[in-house]
């Protein structure tokens, strides 16, 4: 005769009494979900882990420092038995059965009246998986489903009416795996994607055929500035009821003009969600083994836009102050102006032999690192044919890190 399967159900435990016996590692793993469910939790155990004690100290549950005794399950809706005392576990399980309290046992699943599924959550969806006596398979299936929901590879579109809006998504430094989970999911749900040249291009190939992909650099702008034309395109598509993703490289608010787009959308009454991205200022040096800070070497790092030369009246950078800093200097958009920048730093007191690394197309298959000093970096960039996008790192940390791809 085939074994009966477990009947899955979601327990609504808000304000309802839940008793947990034992304060060890199993309880430590299970308690956060019970707390999140709003349960009125009583922990009965002579001792508890430091993490469980922290939950008690935070007022998230009550703790009676003693062993189990008959009557502990009176008025309970759910019980979790996790002690290492077989006799106490058996007695507690018998009480739960007598009182019609659903009970999970960590020591003997067959003796329990309930099983804990492998659970995961993504954007309001709870995934619970039971595979009988194979908890590792349950966890593997759970992980696969949750990951698919998060990155959009498991299609589960929202059926509720969508509010028109724009998601401003930081795509990271270039490697498609370095976009955030939330950013990838929003891409999978988009109707329109307006992408920058420096965004992770490989992600665009994964989009369904119905998604309209617009190259921001090719938006006609006529009498408008390019940025104003992009703002207008975002507003136009959002007002048409589309789910719009503005995909940018790095982080939208690190030299990404993200706030300009947020302000334009707010003025037009369009809801905007900002999804931070991994900035190339940290991730690209890291990809070639350079830490922007290191104990005993650099206690600060400064990120600077190098798109205008130091002597340009539009420059807002205090180069003399930067030259006096002892930490790491990270330059973005500075390939064309690096010779002038290096000269200015040396003029203001920076040592000419300060190590410099130029990392072109960091985190991508075309990544390469070119090393120089502050005195030689200008001619080295020309000789090596370095092209944007590239991140330039100046400071003693350069000498610490070696390119892991070499």
């Amino acid at each position: 005769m085939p074994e009966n399967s477990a009947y899955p159900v979601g327990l609504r435990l808000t304000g309802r009494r839940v008793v947990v016996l034992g304060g060890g590692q199993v309880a430590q793993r299970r308690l956060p979900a019970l707390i999140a469910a709003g349960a009125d939790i009583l922990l009965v155990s002579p001792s508890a882990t430091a993490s469980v004690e922290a939950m008690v100290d935070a007022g998230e549950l009550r703790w009676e420092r003693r062993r189990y005794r008959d009557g502990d399950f009176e008025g309970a809706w759910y019980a979790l038995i996790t002690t290492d005392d077989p006799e106490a576990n058996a007695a507690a399980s018998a009480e739960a059965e007598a009182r019609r309290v659903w009970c999970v046992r960590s020591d003997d699943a067959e003796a329990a009246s309930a099983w804990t599924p492998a659970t995961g959550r993504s954007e309001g969806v709870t995934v619970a998986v039971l595979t009988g006596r194979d908890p590792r398979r349950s966890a593997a299936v759970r992980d696969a489903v949750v990951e698919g929901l998060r990155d959009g590879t498991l299609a589960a579109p929202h059926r509720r009416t969508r509010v028109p809006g724009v998601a401003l998504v930081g795509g990271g430094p270039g490697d498609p795996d370095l976009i955030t989970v939330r950013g990838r999911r929003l891409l999978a749900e988009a109707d329109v994607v307006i992408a920058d040249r420096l965004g992770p291009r490989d992600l665009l190939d994964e989009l369904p055929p119905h998604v309209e992909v617009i190259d921001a650099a090719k938006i006609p702008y006529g009498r408008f500035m390019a940025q104003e034309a992009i703002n207008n395109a975002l507003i136009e598509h959002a007002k048409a009821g589309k789910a719009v993703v503005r995909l940018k490289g790095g982080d939208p608010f690190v030299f990404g003009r993200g706030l300009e787009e947020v302000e334009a959308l707010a003025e037009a009454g369009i809801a905007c969600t900002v999804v931070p991205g991994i900035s190339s200022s940290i991730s690209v040096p890291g990809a070639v083994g350079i830490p922007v800070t290191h104990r005993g070497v650099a206690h600060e790092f400064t990120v600077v836009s190098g798109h205008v030369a130091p002597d340009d009246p539009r420059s807002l950078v205090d180069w003399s102050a930067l030259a006096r800093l002892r930490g790491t200097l990270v330059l973005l958009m500075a390939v064309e102006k690096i010779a002038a920048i290096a000269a200015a730093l040396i003029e203001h007191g920076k040592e000419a032999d300060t190590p410099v690394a130029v990392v072109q197309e960091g985190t991508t298959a075309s990544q390469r690192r070119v090393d120089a000093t502050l005195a030689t970096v200008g001619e080295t960039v020309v000789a090596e044919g370095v092209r944007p996008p590239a991140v330039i790192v100046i400071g003693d940390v350069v000498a610490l890190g070696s390119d892991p791809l070499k």
Side-chain angles (χ1 to χ4, degrees):
M1 181 176 179
E3 181 181 356
N4 292 331
S5 61
Y7 181 79
V9 65
L11 297 180
R12 302 177 64 189
L13 295 174
T14 303
R16 294 182 169 126
R17 179 181 171 90
V18 171
V19 179
V20 178
L21 302 183
Q25 294 293 329
V26 175
Q28 179 178 315
R29 294 198 307 269
R30 303 299 182 205
L31 281 168
L34 293 171
I35 293 168
D40 177 16
I41 305 168
L42 171 65
L43 172 67
V44 176
S45 179
S47 60
T49 68
S51 294
V52 172
E53 287 193 16
M55 298 177 204
V56 175
D57 293 341
E60 295 174 313
L61 62 145
R62 293 174 292 118
W63 181 17
E64 295 189 9
R65 304 186 187 206
R66 58 175 177 80
R67 296 184 179 277
Y68 162 77
R69 60 181 177 231
D70 187 48
D72 278 341
F73 292 163
E74 181 178 357
W77 292 71
Y78 182 71
L80 178 60
I81 300 174
T82 72
T83 82
D84 56 5
D85 183 342
E87 291 185 6
N89 292 349
S93 185
E95 181 189 350
E97 186 74 17
R99 293 183 182 275
R100 303 294 190 266
V101 177
W102 294 111
C103 177
V104 172
R105 285 183 62 170
S106 64
D107 64 329
D108 188 352
E110 291 304 314
S113 59
W115 291 337
T116 300
T119 58
R121 292 168 182 81
S122 176
E123 289 296 314
V125 176
T126 299
V127 176
V129 180
L130 286 170
T131 56
R133 297 179 178 86
D134 194 349
R136 291 186 178 182
R137 187 182 182 205
S138 296
V141 173
R142 180 267 322 272
D143 292 343
V145 173
V146 170
E147 180 64 20
L149 289 173
R150 286 176 174 172
D151 66 19
T153 55
L154 180 60
H158 295 281
R159 297 301 178 186
R160 68 181 185 273
T161 301
R162 288 188 303 192
V163 177
V166 174
L168 190 60
V169 175
D175 183 338
D177 286 344
L178 295 179
I179 190 173
T180 63
V181 169
R182 189 178 189 190
R184 194 159 194 154
R185 179 183 57 77
L186 288 170
L187 265 181
E189 296 177 356
D191 298 312
V192 178
V193 176
I194 299 179
D196 274 347
R197 178 178 65 88
L198 297 181
R201 295 169 297 178
D202 291 350
L203 290 174
L204 303 178
D205 292 336
E206 300 176 4
L207 298 175
H210 72 274
V211 178
E212 182 181 1
V213 178
I214 301 171
D215 183 347
K218 295 182 180 179
I219 294 177
Y221 53 92
R223 64 186 180 86
F224 298 111
M225 294 188 303
Q227 185 60 56
E228 187 176 353
I230 292 171
N231 296 348
N232 290 340
L234 293 170
I235 294 167
E236 176 187 346
H237 287 289
K239 284 189 172 181
K242 303 292 182 65
V244 183
V245 167
R246 175 73 170 104
L247 182 62
K248 292 176 170 287
D251 182 274
F253 285 179
V254 179
F255 305 128
R257 305 187 72 169
L259 185 59
E260 296 178 40
E261 294 173 2
V262 170
E263 290 175 337
L265 291 165
E267 187 176 345
I270 303 295
C272 180
T273 298
V274 178
V275 181
I278 299 175
S279 174
S280 61
S281 62
I282 301 172
S283 56
V284 168
V288 295
I290 300 174
V292 293
T293 64
H294 187 71
R295 185 160 56 106
V297 177
H299 290 178
E300 85 269 348
F301 69 97
T302 305
V303 183
V304 179
S305 170
H307 71 288
V308 295
D311 60 354
D312 191 308
R314 296 172 297 167
S315 177
L316 302 177
V317 179
D318 186 341
W319 293 101
S320 63
L322 290 180
R324 293 193 300 273
L325 294 178
R326 299 175 62 187
T328 306
L329 183 59
V330 180
L331 303 177
L332 306 183
M333 302 176 289
V335 171
E336 295 180 359
K337 303 295 191 300
I338 186 57
I341 289 171
L345 290 171
I346 293 172
E347 178 184 350
H348 290 294
K350 200 77 171 172
E351 294 293 335
D353 60 355
T354 302
V356 178
V358 183
V359 187
Q360 179 179 313
E361 299 185 65
T363 78
T364 73
S366 302
Q367 172 180 296
R368 68 167 176 147
R369 169 179 172 174
V370 175
D371 284 86
T373 65
L374 205 56
T376 64
V377 65
E379 61 189 43
T380 300
V381 162
V382 174
E384 294 288 340
V386 176
R387 307 180 313 275
V391 174
I392 301 175
V393 188
I394 302 172
D396 292 337
V397 293
V398 170
L400 300 176
S402 59
D403 191 340
L405 297 182
K406 287 185 176 179

